[in-house]
Amino acid sequence: MRPTLSEPVLRHGLIRLPFWHDHLLFEGRERGLLAALLCLLLAGPLCADLVATSISTDGSVMLKTCGSDENGSFVSRVLSRDESMVSRTAGDESGLDEELTVRSSGPTLFSGYADALLSTSGIKTICALLDTPHETKGSAEAYASGIILGGEYTSSQTIGPGLSGMTAVNGTGLLVLGSGAEGNRTLRAAGFVSGNMSVQDMVKYGVKI
């Protein structure tokens, strides 16, 4: 008698499950594999790097932060003495970014530099009846350095794509700052400030305002 689909088959003393059981097992494994792959694809873009630091001291503090990716790079350094409060956040959730704030009753020495690649897309007209995609590339940079005696120093920068940042200084001392972009258009700025100052400088290159 030929076994039915619901009966196991005996071969050499072993029970062999019918072919339809193997098919269902394969489908179950395939579904599990697809579910795991979907979870990895969904979780991948959510991963990001983050560094967060908060310091309060009556001695001295020195911090350095740097980072780079395919869009550009940045580096910042700060050295402060006496009573100081320092807050720093750096990561790459939406491009490389850093925020740094220093409040001190003593001297604070600081420096920061950032550069980024610029890329703009548009339409280039070759003749009256022919338009082709056109992409121009360039670079941008921003820097600030100085020393203040008492007061507050704040800086922020975001890279990718384009460059945006802000420098704010309130105190007495010296400050050198500048920025610029080069490509199909060129724009540069630089400055020097000394004495009892209140300065805020913001830059945006290759970023919508």
Side-chain angles (χ1 to χ4, degrees):
M1 178 182 294
R2 187 175 181 178
T4 63
L5 292 178
S6 60
E7 295 177 348
V9 180
L10 288 171
R11 288 187 180 180
H12 305 292
L14 299 176
I15 297 179
R16 181 179 182 275
L17 295 177
F19 68 90
W20 57 267
H21 185 277
D22 295 337
H23 179 66
L24 290 179
L25 184 61
F26 175 76
E27 285 187 351
R29 289 179 178 176
E30 187 179 20
R31 290 174 182 173
L33 207 66
L34 289 175
L37 183 60
L38 182 61
C39 289
L40 287 176
L41 290 176
L42 291 176
L46 300 179
C47 298
D49 297 327
L50 175 67
V51 175
T53 306
S54 179
I55 299 173
S56 178
T57 179
D58 60 357
S60 61
V61 57
M62 180 176 65
L63 284 180
K64 175 186 175 181
T65 312
C66 60
S68 64
D69 64 7
E70 67 277 6
N71 294 313
S73 62
F74 77 91
V75 60
S76 68
R77 299 178 178 88
V78 62
L79 172 63
S80 183
R81 288 187 54 191
D82 298 336
E83 294 185 1
S84 305
M85 294 183 64
V86 181
S87 174
R88 174 187 64 180
T89 304
D92 62 354
E93 184 176 358
S94 56
L96 286 176
D97 61 85
E98 184 209 24
E99 293 184 3
L100 175 65
T101 299
V102 182
R103 299 183 184 92
S104 176
S105 62
T108 299
L109 181 66
F110 57 87
S111 66
Y113 178 83
D115 59 38
L117 296 176
L118 305 179
S119 178
T120 57
S121 299
I123 299 297
K124 181 179 182 181
T125 301
I126 298 178
C127 64
L129 300 177
L130 182 60
D131 291 338
T132 60
H134 180 60
E135 184 177 6
T136 59
K137 295 184 178 180
S139 61
E141 65 174 358
Y143 61 88
S145 62
I147 182 171
I148 57 174
L149 180 60
E152 180 176 347
Y153 164 72
T154 301
S155 70
S156 66
Q157 48 204 354
T158 302
I159 301 170
L163 172 64
S164 61
M166 186 272 296
T167 299
V169 178
N170 287 281
T172 302
L174 304 173
L175 171 64
V176 177
L177 51 82
S179 64
E182 295 183 356
N184 61 332
R185 293 177 296 180
T186 299
L187 176 64
R188 303 201 66 87
F192 170 78
V193 186
S194 66
N196 189 14
M197 70 183 75
S198 178
V199 179
Q200 183 169 350
D201 182 60
M202 182 180 68
V203 299
K204 286 183 180 290
Y205 295 110
V207 180
K208 292 183 178 180
I209 300 177

